[in-house]
């Protein structure tokens, strides 16, 4: 036993403190007692869970052409920009704790945050709209629109910000705008049916949808309806939320039935549509389930239940259909005609959008185990970004994996605090809220 203990310690040191209980795997019991509550009931990957996906190694001389990483200063849309597509961000990669606020809310926070003019904007499920100033290190605005009769109802707020004005829709059917500099509601409307999609802005228009799969164009200055576009209404609901993306004067809309629409924002008329659902039988097993629409140049990418579709955004023609589905909780990224995504089966996959060829596909759990020289289990993946020409993957338990653009792991690292919200990269810093609802900035 003594010899075994010495050998174990030796391996532990050589592996940079990583072993089979590093805490990197999903639901794994951690060495530290503090993490035990969140990492209980581990289950190994079942050998019976066979996937159609397979490992595809990258060709030896394949070259990715990337635009240089650029600095970013605002995050006005929950999915970053109109196209829902992240860019190649500059980040310091120091991972040092630069700033931590006091707790900004006692309630559960929304997954997404915004950033404008050095202010972080977030919401909680009590309906509070919270604006925190980084430079002043305090909440500069906290507003709750809802009366006492809505007090016990969980509010799901969809937000977007433009020039100090936050536009909000919710699951109660309200749509309103709020100036966080003057702390005033500019207008508010009640439309009865719950709004379920993200918000987009085009010139003087706000664009969103409701749970009945109606697409709306509203006047940005009054909240009045400019036009309504009904699509297939479904009685049975699932967890997928309608999703909007934009490119130029086109808005792309995927509804819970799996129909994808392109609408001209100037005329508010339909340009094209197609259905990505395999079945027209509307029952819980056939309802559409995918992730965010991502657009770049002439390519539109959307995953359905089993496939990923690469579509010509001008004509609606399906260019390629890949036999994998992206993880519905992690948006794909298009970078210089290359698609990077994490699939439902936890494969990191890169596709050339011009040719439709899969450049590589690697099982992330296998890659992690090989890199750390430990037994393969299952990790929980939270988010995907491109940082300094490299791929950064956020795990659900505060670990990050940095990979070269070719899919080779550079390092695995544990961050100094747990990431609860979707992270943002602002001015070479990583910003998120932790599990104690404190704003954290890593420099």
């Amino acid at each position: 036993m003594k010899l075994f203990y010495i050998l174990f310690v030796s391996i532990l040191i050589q592996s940079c403190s990583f072993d089979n209980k590093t805490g990197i795997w999903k639901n794994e019991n951690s060495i530290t007692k503090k993490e035990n509550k969140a990492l209980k009931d581990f289950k190994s990957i079942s050998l019976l869970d066979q996937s159609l996906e397979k490992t595809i190694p990258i060709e030896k001389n394949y070259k990715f052409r990337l635009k240089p990483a650029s600095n970013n200063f605002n995050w006005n849309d929950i999915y970053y920009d109109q196209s829902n597509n992240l860019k190649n961000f500059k980040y310091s990669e120091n991972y040092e704790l630069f700033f931590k606020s006091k707790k900004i809310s006692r309630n559960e926070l929304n997954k997404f945050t915004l950033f404008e003019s050095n202010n972080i904007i977030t919401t909680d499920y009590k309906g509070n709209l919270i604006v925190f100033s980084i430079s002043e290190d305090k909440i500069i605005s906290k507003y709750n629109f809802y009366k006492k009769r809505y007090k016990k109802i969980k509010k799901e707020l969809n937000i977007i910000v433009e020039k100090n004005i936050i536009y909000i829709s919710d699951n109660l059917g309200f749509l309103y705008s709020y100036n966080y500099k003057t702390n005033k509601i500019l207008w508010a409307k009640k439309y009865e049916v719950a709004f379920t999609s993200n918000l987009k802005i085009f010139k003087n228009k706000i664009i969103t949808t409701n749970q009945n799969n109606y697409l709306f164009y509203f006047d940005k200055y009054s909240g009045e309806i400019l036009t309504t576009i009904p699509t297939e209404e479904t009685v049975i609901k699932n967890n997928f939320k309608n999703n909007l993306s934009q490119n130029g004067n086109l808005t792309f809309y995927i509804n819970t039935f799996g129909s994808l629409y392109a609408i001209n924002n100037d005329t508010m008329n339909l340009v094209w549509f197609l259905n990505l659902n395999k079945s027209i039988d509307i029952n819980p097993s056939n309802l559409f389930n995918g992730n965010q629409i991502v657009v770049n140049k002439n390519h539109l990418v959307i995953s359905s239940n089993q496939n990923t579709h690469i579509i010509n955004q001008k004509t609606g023609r399906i260019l390629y259909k890949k036999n994998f589905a992206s993880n519905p909780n992690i948006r794909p990224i298009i970078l210089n005609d290359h698609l990077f995504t994490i699939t439902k089966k936890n494969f990191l996959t890169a596709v050339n959008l011009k040719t439709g060829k899969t450049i590589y596909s690697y099982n992330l759990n296998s890659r992690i185990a090989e890199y750390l020289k430990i037994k393969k289990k299952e990790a929980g993946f939270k988010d995907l970004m491109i940082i300094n020409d490299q791929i950064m993957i956020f795990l659900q338990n505060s670990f990050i994996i940095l990979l070269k653009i070719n899919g080779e792991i550079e390092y695995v690292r544990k961050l100094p605090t747990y990431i609860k919200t979707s992270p943002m990269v602002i001015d070479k810093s990583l910003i998120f809220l932790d599990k104690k609802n404190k704003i954290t900035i890593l420099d």
Side-chain angles (χ1 to χ4, degrees), residues 292-349:
Q292 297 99 345
I293 304 168
V294 177
V295 187
N296 184 270
K297 297 179 181 178
N298 197 38
H299 294 113
L300 180 153
V301 175
I302 179 73
S303 274
S304 59
N305 300 35
Q306 298 178 9
N307 302 106
T308 294
H309 304 267
I310 301 164
I311 298 166
N312 183 304
Q313 61 105 356
K314 292 182 179 178
T315 65
R317 183 169 68 92
I318 297 177
L319 303 174
Y320 309 103
K321 186 169 75 170
K322 308 298 290 184
N323 65 346
F324 61 81
S326 293
N327 184 319
N329 299 314
I330 302 175
R331 95 190 84 186
I333 298 174
I334 302 174
L335 201 63
N336 285 42
D337 296 316
H338 286 89
L339 170 69
F340 298 91
T341 189
I342 297 175
T343 72
K344 284 184 177 180
K345 296 295 183 180
N346 298 329
F347 278 73
L348 175 65
T349 302

Side-chain angles (χ1 to χ4, degrees), residues 73-162:
F73 298 98
N74 286 294
W75 205 286
N76 298 80
D77 187 297
I78 63 169
Y79 299 135
Y80 175 64
D81 70 0
Q82 289 185 326
S83 67
N84 299 345
N85 190 36
L86 300 182
K87 61 182 180 181
N88 185 7
F89 295 114
K90 281 186 179 179
Y91 175 50
S92 65
E93 281 192 71
N94 293 323
Y95 305 104
E96 294 178 357
L97 185 60
F98 174 74
F99 175 86
K100 186 179 281 288
S101 72
K102 295 179 181 179
K103 181 182 288 190
I104 65 170
S105 176
R106 293 178 294 177
N107 307 304
E108 184 181 356
L109 293 173
N110 195 298
K111 176 182 177 181
F112 298 103
T113 52
L114 305 178
F115 192 96
E116 183 188 63
S117 303
N118 217 33
N119 299 308
I120 292 175
I121 302 164
T122 190
T123 65
D124 63 31
Y125 288 119
K126 288 290 185 180
N128 293 307
L129 190 61
I130 304 162
V131 183
F132 184 94
S133 169
I134 297 296
S135 55
E136 298 180 42
D137 191 13
K138 67 177 183 179
I139 294 173
I140 59 171
S141 176
K142 188 172 184 178
Y143 179 79
N144 195 307
F145 172 79
Y146 304 92
K147 297 179 180 179
K148 290 183 179 179
R149 62 176 171 164
Y150 301 111
K151 184 177 180 180
K152 295 183 179 180
I153 301 175
K154 182 178 179 179
K155 291 90 174 175
E156 297 182 18
L157 275 55
N158 311 296
I159 58 175
I160 193 169
V161 65
E162 182 184 67

Side-chain angles (χ1 to χ4, degrees), residues 399-416:
F399 280 88
I400 59 110
I401 306 168
L402 192 77
L403 305 96
K404 294 179 182 178
I405 204 70
N406 64 6
E408 179 184 340
I409 292 181
E410 285 272 9
Y411 56 77
V412 177
R413 183 168 187 148
K414 188 171 184 179
L415 299 178

Side-chain angles (χ1 to χ4, degrees), residues 1 11 66 77 148-149 193-194 225 260 360 368 428 435:
M1 287 296 293
I11 293 172
L66 303 178
D77 187 297
K148 290 183 179 179
R149 62 176 171 164
V193 180
I225 296 176
L260 178 64
Y360 63 74
I368 294 168
K428 300 179 186 178
K435 61 184 177 182

Side-chain angles (χ1 to χ4, degrees), residues 60-259:
K60 186 175 180 181
N61 297 320
Y62 192 87
K63 300 292 184 183
F64 289 94
R65 294 182 180 180
L66 303 178
K67 289 183 180 178
S70 58
N71 210 354
N72 180 55
F73 298 98
N74 286 294
W75 205 286
N76 298 80
D77 187 297
I78 63 169
Y79 299 135
Y80 175 64
D81 70 0
Q82 289 185 326
S83 67
N84 299 345
N85 190 36
L86 300 182
K87 61 182 180 181
N88 185 7
F89 295 114
K90 281 186 179 179
Y91 175 50
S92 65
E93 281 192 71
N94 293 323
Y95 305 104
E96 294 178 357
L97 185 60
F98 174 74
F99 175 86
K100 186 179 281 288
S101 72
K102 295 179 181 179
K103 181 182 288 190
I104 65 170
S105 176
R106 293 178 294 177
N107 307 304
E108 184 181 356
L109 293 173
N110 195 298
K111 176 182 177 181
F112 298 103
T113 52
L114 305 178
F115 192 96
E116 183 188 63
S117 303
N118 217 33
N119 299 308
I120 292 175
I121 302 164
T122 190
T123 65
D124 63 31
Y125 288 119
K126 288 290 185 180
N128 293 307
L129 190 61
I130 304 162
V131 183
F132 184 94
S133 169
I134 297 296
S135 55
E136 298 180 42
D137 191 13
K138 67 177 183 179
I139 294 173
I140 59 171
S141 176
K142 188 172 184 178
Y143 179 79
N144 195 307
F145 172 79
Y146 304 92
K147 297 179 180 179
K148 290 183 179 179
R149 62 176 171 164
Y150 301 111
K151 184 177 180 180
K152 295 183 179 180
I153 301 175
K154 182 178 179 179
K155 291 90 174 175
E156 297 182 18
L157 275 55
N158 311 296
I159 58 175
I160 193 169
V161 65
E162 182 184 67
K163 298 178 181 178
N164 306 331
I165 299 175
I166 307 170
Y167 298 92
I168 307 101
S169 68
D170 66 23
N171 59 323
L172 302 176
F174 285 104
L175 180 71
Y176 53 102
S177 69
Y178 173 73
N179 188 318
Y180 68 84
K181 289 290 187 180
T182 61
N183 294 319
K184 289 183 179 180
I185 286 286
L186 303 181
W187 52 260
K189 301 288 182 180
K190 182 73 162 68
Y191 288 107
E192 304 302 332
V193 180
F195 292 106
T196 54
S197 77
N198 55 322
L199 298 166
K200 292 297 180 185
I201 295 174
F202 180 81
K203 297 179 181 177
N204 68 323
K205 303 179 179 90
I206 300 171
I207 310 164
T208 190
T209 73
N210 69 13
Q211 69 177 10
N212 293 335
N213 288 341
Y214 279 61
L215 177 69
F216 293 93
Y217 281 79
F218 295 99
D219 187 293
K220 186 173 70 175
Y221 303 107
S222 67
E224 299 292 338
I225 296 176
L226 297 174
T227 196
T228 304
I229 302 174
T231 68
E232 304 96 332
E233 185 173 350
T234 58
V235 177
I236 302 170
K237 309 300 178 185
N238 66 352
N239 293 326
F240 176 74
K241 289 189 176 183
N242 298 337
N243 185 255
L244 301 173
S245 181
Q246 289 181 327
N247 192 15
N249 71 335
L250 291 179
T251 284
F252 305 99
Y253 163 45
I254 186 80
N255 66 18
T256 55
F257 191 73
S259 290

